[in-house]
Amino acid sequence: MGKVKRIGMLTSGGDCQALNAAMRGVVKCLVNSKEKVEIYGFLDGYRGLIYGNFRMLGGHDFSGILTKGGTMLGTSRTPFKTIREPDEKGVDKVDAMKQNYYKLRLDCLVILGGNGTHKTANLLREEGLNVITLPKTIDNDLWGTDMTFGFQSAVNIATDAIDCIHTTAASHGRVFIVEVMGHKVGWLTLNAGMAGGADIILIPEIPYDLKKIVSKIEERNRNGSSFTILAVAEGAISKEDAKLSKKEYKEKMKNYKYPSVSYELAEQIQKATGNEVRVTVPGHTQRGGSPCPYDRVFASRLGAEAGALILKGEYGFMVGYKNREVVKVPLEEVAGKLKMVSPDASIVKEAKLLGISFGG
Ligand code: F6P
């Protein structure tokens, strides 16, 4: 038996389903090997690593958590933008993370997170720490992996929301907007929208034209469909707004009177069509509850492969998924890039063939 491997683990950024399943996968793989391991669970994301707030975890801590949503370690957002700025007490955050890593004589850090998390993970790698990451987020917007865990569970929840809206929309003959999370990308809306049979899907990658949305609703009215369902990404944007510079858009949003784009659209559609319009926002329910079976398997696989990399001493990678294979992707290729839906993607083309309007 070799020396003890000391592994630090943390979950950072917005939570999602299957974080626990992924951590369990890593630990199960390590515990099943002949290696002796010590697991240091840093609490509340990078904050735990900065301030040395951790719990020693044993194999028993990881039993019974495969099906549990959330994260047993807690999480928080530590913006990358300000990671090099000292905190309110003057603590140098990057230096503090490195010091804690070395003080605990860690062999590596396993970091579970999305986009922002990966930028900091890559920074720590550049600073000389051994890092392995796992791709979590309901948004599925992480570069270097075809899929992130949490995504399929969120698709299920958003789809359920659209399914439920179907019956009430039909009873009342209303137009319904279901606003779906996803930050700046449309993966979740596109998939839940198709799964839920939405008539119109609006995603940030395809700026919408209100006239096209109205004409689709009127066409449905003329054809005797008494209701219309729109799946609208929280980041959906009109063609006019998409033309604005970042500065102009920011300026415009200062006086924005709606809670989100869906409410603005609802008002515009009601005015243009005379149809009654309602908005439903499933919000953070999309990140909550148990991981779906797909995510349990998927996160366990990625976790196990992360454990295998640790056993081989291979660091500096995200464990991702490409062309139906689990792969290791160099962290420098992942950090700072957004994986968006291409307007030319075959799924978009097929959705259009089904008669779904993207309002574009
Ligand atoms: O990144 C996951 C996500 O749920 C996005 O879809 C959403 O825009 C954001 O996080 C919400 O963040 P918060 O939990 O901080 O409100």
Side-chain angles (χ1 to χ4, degrees):
M1 191 177 289
K3 78 173 185 64
V4 179
K5 271 206 191 265
R6 293 186 172 80
I7 291 136
M9 202 177 264
L10 64 89
T11 53
S12 168
D15 75 341
C16 69
Q17 304 87 344
L19 280 162
N20 289 325
M23 289 192 274
R24 172 184 173 272
V26 178
V27 174
K28 270 204 172 267
C29 168
L30 295 173
V31 168
N32 279 330
S33 75
K34 300 250 179 326
E35 296 273 349
K36 210 165 175 302
V37 289
E38 280 178 359
I39 312 286
Y40 296 74
F42 292 99
L43 307 180
D44 303 329
Y46 286 116
R47 223 185 264 164
L49 184 57
I50 296 168
Y51 301 109
N53 201 4
F54 65 89
R55 250 183 348 120
M56 296 296 298
L57 301 168
H60 57 277
D61 289 303
F62 295 89
S63 85
I65 63 165
L66 174 64
T67 61
K68 285 207 177 115
T71 160
M72 66 184 286
L73 294 179
T75 188
S76 64
R77 295 193 192 274
T78 312
F80 179 74
K81 236 179 9 196
T82 55
I83 200 77
R84 288 286 190 189
E85 290 170 18
D87 76 356
E88 54 291 347
K89 288 191 178 136
V91 173
D92 180 324
K93 288 172 265 185
V94 177
D95 201 43
M97 288 194 274
K98 285 166 67 179
Q99 279 187 27
N100 282 319
Y101 179 94
Y102 290 121
K103 200 158 74 191
L104 295 169
R105 290 182 293 131
L106 297 180
D107 289 288
C108 78
L109 284 169
V110 177
I111 298 174
L112 292 81
N115 266 309
T117 302
H118 273 78
K119 289 189 204 163
T120 301
N122 188 46
L123 173 73
L124 294 177
R125 180 196 64 80
E126 286 167 351
E127 291 284 324
L129 307 193
N130 292 330
V131 179
I132 295 280
T133 66
L134 288 166
K136 71 90 229 194
T137 166
I138 63 165
D139 303 338
N140 194 31
D141 60 351
L142 210 51
W143 188 266
T145 184
D146 293 344
M147 182 107 67
T148 56
F149 55 82
F151 174 65
Q152 290 294 344
S153 303
V155 169
N156 288 2
I157 295 168
T159 302
D160 277 349
I162 299 172
D163 287 350
C164 291
I165 289 305
H166 256 282
T167 53
T168 178
S171 306
H172 287 267
R174 284 171 169 161
V175 172
F176 258 96
I177 294 176
V178 180
E179 184 177 289
V180 179
M181 271 189 173
H183 199 42
K184 291 181 180 157
V185 304
W187 295 106
L188 189 50
T189 309
L190 175 57
N191 282 270
M194 283 180 79
D199 309 294
I200 300 170
I201 295 178
L202 304 182
I203 59 175
E205 294 89 339
I206 306 177
Y208 63 80
D209 176 348
L210 180 66
K211 283 196 234 81
K212 297 225 170 116
I213 298 171
V214 168
S215 96
K216 175 73 179 176
I217 295 169
E218 285 174 342
E219 177 196 311
R220 282 179 58 78
N221 290 346
R222 274 197 309 279
N223 293 341
S225 304
S226 63
F227 68 94
T228 295
I229 296 190
L230 291 89
V232 175
E234 62 179 350
I237 187 163
S238 67
K239 276 195 193 304
E240 301 83 66
D241 284 354
K243 279 188 202 134
L244 299 177
S245 69
K246 235 179 176 178
K247 200 171 152 213
E248 287 168 331
Y249 184 67
K250 234 177 166 179
E251 200 52 42
K252 180 184 164 176
M253 293 316 274
K254 275 189 192 157
N255 303 314
Y256 195 64
K257 62 174 183 164
Y258 306 95
S260 69
V261 62
S262 300
Y263 292 88
E264 180 182 13
L265 266 171
E267 194 178 283
Q268 291 169 331
I269 293 171
Q270 190 150 327
K271 205 164 149 210
T273 63
N275 283 105
E276 229 183 341
V277 188
R278 293 286 188 273
V279 176
T280 293
V281 184
H284 288 76
T285 63
Q286 292 163 97
R287 280 194 350 217
S290 289
C292 67
Y294 183 97
D295 270 339
R296 293 178 201 181
V297 176
F298 183 48
S300 299
R301 288 181 64 191
L302 298 190
E305 294 285 358
L309 286 181
I310 293 169
L311 292 172
K312 286 188 275 184
E314 286 189 42
Y315 304 117
F317 296 103
M318 174 183 81
V319 181
Y321 194 60
K322 279 266 168 201
N323 305 319
R324 295 173 182 261
E325 292 291 340
V326 179
V327 292
K328 53 179 195 190
V329 190
L331 270 178
E332 63 267 35
E333 284 179 21
V334 177
K337 290 185 216 146
L338 206 58
K339 185 185 71 194
M340 304 186 86
V341 176
S342 162
D344 302 321
S346 63
I347 185 171
V348 174
K349 188 185 91 197
E350 288 130 19
K352 286 180 181 166
L353 290 173
L354 295 170
I356 295 170
S357 164
F358 283 84

